[in-house]
Amino acid sequence: MSSTDNLRSTMESTLLALLDTQSISATNKDASRIVALMTPDCKWFIKPDSFIAKYPFIKSPRTVADEEAHLAREISVLDESRIKVLDSVVDAATRKASVHVELWAKYAGSEPSTMEMCWYFDFTDDGKKVSRVIEFIDTSASEKMLEDMAKAGFDMKEEEEAAGK
C-alpha cells in the first residue's frame, strides 16, 4: 500500500469518525466529542453567506470553542439526530474531502425533520484531524429546524450574544 493510500485511509477514518459524532441520542449528548477531531485552530464556516445575513445570530466562522459551545446549546434541546451519507469524496493529494449528507433531527416537542447539507473538510498533513470545515446548508429546511429549536427552548438571544452580535 502506498503512502497516498495510507493517507487516504486515515482521512476516511477521520471523516467517518467525525460523521459518527453527528448522531445524537438521549444518552450521547457530548459536544466535546464532535470537536475532538478538529485542530485547535480549526475554523468552521456556515454557508451560504445570505443565510448568515438573514440570521445574524449565527456566527461564521466559528472557532473550535465557539463550535463546541454552539453544539452544547443545540444538543440540549435535541432529542435525537442522525446522518445519512449520500455522497463523499476524499482527495489525499489535496488533503480535502467533501460529503453530501441528509441530517435527520428531532427537537423536543417537534416532529422530526430532515435537511441536506454539504461539508467540505481540510485535513492536517497526517489526515488525523480536521483543520477547516465549510458547511453548506439547505436554507429552506434550516428555517424549519430553527423554528423547532426555538420551540424546544433554544435561546436565540444567547446564541446572538455568543456570536458577538
Side-chain angles (χ1 to χ4, degrees):
M1 190 186 278
S2 73
S3 62
T4 302
D5 290 339
N6 287 336
L7 177 59
R8 179 180 165 74
S9 178
T10 299
M11 290 171 60
E12 285 176 341
S13 293
T14 302
L15 180 61
L16 290 173
L18 185 60
L19 293 173
D20 185 54
T21 66
Q22 300 294 315
S23 293
I24 305 298
S25 68
T27 58
N28 192 10
K29 290 190 167 199
D30 180 9
S32 67
R33 69 188 185 92
I34 297 171
V35 298
L37 294 167
M38 298 177 196
T39 61
D41 61 342
C42 181
K43 297 286 189 230
W44 192 296
F45 296 84
I46 307 296
K47 298 290 183 178
D49 290 339
S50 60
F51 186 74
I52 302 304
K54 184 173 180 176
Y55 298 101
F57 61 85
I58 298 174
K59 183 176 184 177
S60 181
R62 296 176 181 156
T63 65
V64 172
D66 294 335
E67 184 64 11
E68 185 172 6
H70 162 76
L71 290 168
R73 289 188 296 274
E74 183 174 351
I75 289 170
S76 72
V77 298
L78 187 62
D79 285 343
E80 184 181 359
S81 72
R82 55 184 174 264
I83 294 286
K84 177 182 175 184
V85 176
L86 304 173
D87 192 22
S88 67
V89 175
V90 176
D91 183 352
T94 62
R95 290 174 179 66
K96 294 180 182 287
S98 61
V99 184
H100 177 203
V101 302
E102 182 180 84
L103 167 68
W104 178 94
K106 166 77 174 78
Y107 291 93
S110 295
E111 292 297 314
S113 55
T114 59
M115 169 175 77
E116 286 186 72
M117 300 166 50
C118 289
W119 281 312
Y120 300 92
F121 300 100
D122 291 355
F123 290 82
T124 55
D125 287 343
D126 64 3
K128 294 180 179 177
K129 295 273 186 176
V130 173
S131 58
R132 184 176 70 141
V133 180
I134 300 174
E135 176 180 322
F136 273 88
I137 58 175
D138 175 343
T139 56
S140 179
S142 291
E143 290 174 356
K144 164 83 167 82
M145 285 194 170
L146 287 171
E147 290 171 12
D148 290 349
M149 289 167 65
K151 280 195 280 185
F154 186 82
D155 188 344
M156 300 298 178
K157 184 74 172 158
E158 181 182 350
E159 190 75 5
E160 187 173 344
E161 289 169 4
K165 299 180 181 179

